[in-house]
Amino acid sequence: VSGFQVSTTIHPFSQPHTSFAAHPMVGTRTLAPSTEPQLRNTPSTRFKNKSILGLKATAEPYLEDIPSVSLQSDGGPLAPLPDSWAQPGVYACFDKEGDMQYVAMSRKVSESIANHLQVLPAEDFASVKMKLWEKPTRSELEETARGWIEQCIDRTGDAPPGNTKEVDIWRKKASEVARAKANVEFREGAVEEEATAEIERIISRYLAVLFIKGTRQAPQCGFSDATIHLFNQLGVDYECVDTLDEERNPGLRDAIKNFSQWPTIPQVYVGGEFMGGADVCREMAESGELQEILEEVMKAKAQPPPSFVTLPPKAVHSLMSSDASLPFIDCRTPPEWQAGRVKGAINIPAFLDGPNGRQPVRDSFVAAVKEQFPATDTRLVLGCQRAIRSKDAAAWLCAEGYSNILELDGGFSWWVADDDLPVEA
């Protein structure tokens, strides 16, 4: 498996000279179809490589002509990957905003993509485009990969970040990264009285959770070490939570014992269900029972959540006019909502502005919706400014089991473009 690394030297009287060096990359792991990322006409803000400029694109068909496949759902990476991807090819990876992050050629595209899914967060690897061959020549693969990278440079002024020296995460094996994976922690500011709620939140979000003493890199007891070793051997993605870390997980050590009705640590949860401690999990693995449970949970997680329906502004207005009780949830920030909104809209922010820019606040958004509208079959309309945040918010609610979600196409921007639709401030 190979990625191309771009290096550039600029001479005073010449165009930049670009050389491509192959780097090995391997992997194993987890898919579904959909939204179409677009290469932007402005440079990506995630990573910059301003020295790479002015390369003319090759005759290779432009990436916009190749269909995109979404790799993420609210529950995490989707699985399994299609069998048809288990062949040689070239693939381009895109982040959540649709910016190209990496281009590589692979002997088995499915394994390479599965590796990235284990290593990278959903916001950095959200979708993929690819070109597959049954028996390609090396030159066919290299020419296609080089062409796609040059197209990205020609369009944005930047090489894909993963194809530069500065960003090496795309060329790492999942096994290397897993060893350095950080613990899952309670939400910032959580207090001891919220320990049980934090346990419920964590075990509902992750496939497998190990409540241990210490970290996976430095377990603080032999039983924790044995359980980590067991899950490494099983080859599944799992999270660790340190029961000794009172600063970050206040009250956890006692709360997890009471929650599970189990007196010792470590404790293992799979699919939100308590499995047992170190010895029980070892016996379950020896009999094959633990592997069967993990497989069932992974299959269930791969099932797509209920989908939401996107409607144009006039259709939403028509529904609201015929049903005055139909809630309209404005997902924007409070200042945006206060400046002007759909008449009758309530404000439950899905994203908030902070020191690091606008960030999702999924947990608080979902909690607020559940508090006001506990019945998951309640019909809800979601909207934001340009139908970007509202799509995320709708997906979050669908993942929580809400089955009657409508989303305003084009957001408030399209709503105010029609003089006939009511607004208020």
Side-chain angles (χ1 to χ4, degrees):
V1 183
S2 296
F4 286 99
Q5 179 174 298
V6 180
S7 58
T8 303
T9 53
I10 299 180
H11 302 282
F13 303 106
S14 69
Q15 291 292 321
H17 169 71
T18 304
S19 61
F20 298 88
H23 291 270
M25 179 177 60
V26 193
T28 36
R29 180 157 144 105
T30 43
L31 155 160
S34 242
T35 59
E36 185 77 12
Q38 302 292 328
L39 280 180
R40 302 186 182 280
N41 291 317
T42 55
S44 166
T45 56
R46 187 182 297 278
F47 300 104
K48 298 296 296 173
N49 188 13
K50 294 181 179 177
S51 64
I52 303 176
L53 299 170
L55 286 182
K56 187 176 181 181
T58 69
E60 182 65 32
Y62 194 65
L63 275 164
E64 286 179 353
D65 299 327
I66 297 175
S68 169
V69 178
S70 173
L71 296 168
Q72 304 289 343
S73 74
D74 191 61
L78 301 176
L81 297 175
D83 293 338
S84 60
W85 292 11
Q87 56 181 317
V90 175
Y91 61 93
C93 306
F94 296 82
D95 66 11
K96 187 177 179 181
E97 284 76 37
D99 292 326
M100 187 192 289
Q101 296 297 306
Y102 185 56
V103 173
M105 56 188 191
S106 171
R107 299 185 192 91
K108 188 177 284 189
V109 169
S110 57
E111 289 191 0
S112 299
I113 290 174
N115 182 78
H116 299 321
L117 287 171
Q118 290 185 80
V119 170
L120 290 141
E123 59 266 26
D124 289 343
F125 188 25
S127 60
V128 67
K129 295 188 175 190
M130 67 187 71
K131 185 173 180 179
L132 303 172
W133 290 263
E134 286 189 9
K135 295 181 179 179
T137 63
R138 176 84 180 185
S139 61
E140 284 178 320
L141 295 172
E142 290 181 344
E143 181 180 348
T144 300
R146 182 180 292 110
W148 289 2
I149 292 173
E150 290 179 357
Q151 287 175 17
C152 181
I153 296 172
D154 189 57
R155 175 66 70 90
T156 69
D158 287 305
N163 296 100
T164 66
K165 291 181 179 179
E166 291 84 358
V167 182
D168 65 354
I169 187 67
W170 289 91
R171 300 185 293 277
K172 287 185 178 293
K173 296 181 182 180
S175 57
E176 298 173 5
V177 178
R179 286 193 289 270
K181 195 174 186 181
N183 280 352
V184 170
E185 300 168 353
F186 285 5
R187 285 177 294 188
E188 187 175 355
V191 295
E192 187 172 338
E193 290 75 20
E194 297 173 312
T196 298
E198 286 297 301
I199 292 169
E200 291 175 339
R201 179 184 68 84
I202 290 170
I203 65 175
S204 67
R205 176 163 293 186
Y206 300 104
L207 169 70
V209 182
L210 280 54
F211 291 91
I212 61 170
K213 295 179 181 179
T215 67
R216 72 181 70 210
Q217 298 86 4
Q220 298 299 303
C221 77
F223 291 111
S224 294
D225 185 38
T227 306
I228 290 167
H229 182 66
L230 171 64
F231 274 77
N232 286 339
Q233 286 184 316
L234 292 174
V236 297
D237 192 25
Y238 66 92
E239 307 298 331
C240 292
V241 188
D242 186 3
T243 59
L244 301 180
D245 191 344
E246 274 296 312
E247 180 181 350
R248 295 178 177 85
N249 307 316
L252 173 59
R253 188 171 184 178
D254 290 331
I256 190 64
K257 294 177 182 179
N258 293 328
F259 184 81
S260 308
Q261 292 297 292
W262 191 263
T264 58
I265 293 169
Q267 296 186 18
V268 175
Y269 279 79
V270 174
E273 298 293 329
F274 179 54
M275 297 291 106
D279 290 338
V280 172
C281 287
R282 176 179 52 78
E283 292 169 2
M284 291 175 68
E286 288 173 352
S287 69
E289 182 183 0
L290 183 56
Q291 293 89 321
E292 290 176 3
I293 293 172
L294 285 163
E295 186 176 352
E296 289 175 6
V297 170
M298 289 180 68
K299 285 181 179 178
K301 209 171 183 67
Q303 297 300 316
S307 59
F308 58 91
V309 176
T310 298
L311 295 176
K314 283 187 183 259
V316 171
H317 178 246
S318 177
L319 287 172
M320 294 177 69
S321 298
S322 60
D323 181 2
S325 65
L326 178 61
F328 187 103
I329 300 174
D330 190 321
C331 305
R332 298 176 299 165
T333 63
E336 290 176 295
W337 178 78
Q338 291 165 1
R341 55 189 177 272
V342 171
K343 188 174 182 180
I346 63 173
N347 184 217
I348 305 180
F351 289 72
L352 288 174
D353 295 328
N356 298 318
R358 185 163 291 170
Q359 299 294 324
V361 287
R362 179 189 185 280
D363 290 337
S364 62
F365 173 81
V366 170
V369 172
K370 285 184 173 181
E371 182 178 355
Q372 295 191 47
F373 310 102
T376 56
D377 60 350
T378 303
R379 178 186 280 187
L380 302 171
V381 182
L382 272 60
C384 63
Q385 189 66 34
R386 289 185 294 275
I388 298 174
R389 287 169 279 177
S390 57
K391 282 183 169 55
D392 284 333
W396 298 341
L397 294 181
C398 287
E400 296 292 328
Y402 282 81
S403 57
N404 204 355
I405 303 297
L406 306 176
E407 190 242 353
L408 174 63
D409 194 16
F412 190 60
S413 295
W414 284 18
W415 184 277
V416 297
D418 193 319
D419 295 335
D420 297 331
L421 300 182
V423 298
E424 61 183 3

